[in-house]
Amino acid sequence: MALTCIFLGDSITCAGRLWLTDEKKLGNGYVSMLADRIHTISPDIRFFNKGYDGFTVPFLLKRMSRDCILTSPDYITILIGINDVGIAMNTGVSLEQQQFQGNYRSLLETLRQWTHARILCAGPFIFPHPQEYQNWIPSVKQAETIIQELTEEFDLPFLPLHDTLNRIAEQEGYDAVTTDGIHLTDKGHQILADLFYPFFSNTGTGASSRRLSGSTLQS
């Protein structure tokens, strides 16, 4: 039986998939790049991109049954949080007031109850480019800490992205990695695909099952 992989997230995951005319509907970002890479080794695996522009954790929860549970996935990745941070920064409604932790816990509880999938949670990220996003970093780190603590509670692997992507951007130049401080260039998406790749070890890729690039993937 073919394995099924579902990618949950916001516009970073979506990467234009809703507007592209190709049948795969995987977008033009890291999801498509990962699928192409893994299909060279395991061509029967099914990939579904369920990222949506502007999504927050509550919106993800509302679509859980339709987008994820009914598909009976074997692998699930979650990259969400930057729009929740954006609400906090633009409206003053804090992550606590948005019940970010409780909503994310409900997300994991739902997936645990209704699927048998391996789940990877990735932390949100922001680049101080433009400089105004420097002010967002504390809230991004707060969201990252909340997600990491929940993955420890649920015994799930966690992929922190903010520091890793910013180190690469400092070396390569921000414009090489991000288009606007939030979204990624083709190079940025390729970096993200490389970081996600080891999670799919049991699909036949031969990568480490729980640890990514040394200490990058935490479990």
Side-chain angles (χ1 to χ4, degrees), residues 7-15 17 30 49-56 60 79-84 124-125 182-183:
F7 297 81
L8 304 176
D10 48 38
S11 57
I12 298 167
T13 298
C14 179
R17 67 151 179 114
Y30 75 94
N49 184 335
K50 295 300 179 180
Y52 294 89
D53 291 357
F55 255 32
T56 58
L60 207 60
L79 175 53
I80 197 79
I82 193 59
N83 291 314
D84 307 78
F125 56 86
I182 294 176
H183 301 94

Side-chain angles (χ1 to χ4, degrees), residues 14-42:
C14 179
R17 67 151 179 114
L18 296 174
W19 324 116
L20 297 178
T21 57
D22 68 292
E23 295 182 358
K24 295 187 295 183
K25 297 294 183 183
L26 294 179
N28 55 12
Y30 75 94
V31 176
S32 179
M33 294 173 182
L34 266 172
D36 288 344
R37 183 174 179 181
I38 294 173
H39 273 155
T40 62
I41 302 170
S42 303

Side-chain angles (χ1 to χ4, degrees), residues 96-133:
E96 290 86 355
Q97 291 170 315
Q98 295 177 58
Q99 300 180 31
F100 181 81
Q101 184 180 44
N103 287 328
Y104 205 107
R105 177 179 280 109
S106 295
L107 176 64
L108 296 181
E109 288 174 342
T110 301
L111 293 176
R112 271 287 175 81
Q113 180 178 359
W114 295 104
T115 79
H116 297 287
R118 295 183 68 228
I119 303 168
L120 170 65
C121 300
F125 56 86
I126 193 84
F127 301 93
H129 186 77
Q131 185 64 30
E132 65 193 68
Y133 284 142

Side-chain angles (χ1 to χ4, degrees), residues 75-78 104 108 112 117-123 147-160 196 198-200 208-212 216-219:
Y75 290 81
I76 299 169
T77 71
I78 306 169
Y104 205 107
L108 296 181
R112 271 287 175 81
R118 295 183 68 228
I119 303 168
L120 170 65
C121 300
I147 296 170
Q148 182 173 7
E149 289 176 350
L150 287 171
T151 59
E152 292 172 355
E153 179 182 329
F154 284 81
D155 192 27
L156 297 173
F158 172 65
L159 178 60
F196 273 86
F199 174 64
F200 297 94
S208 170
S209 61
R210 298 281 291 179
R211 190 160 296 278
L212 181 66
T216 306
L217 180 61
Q218 300 178 0
S219 61

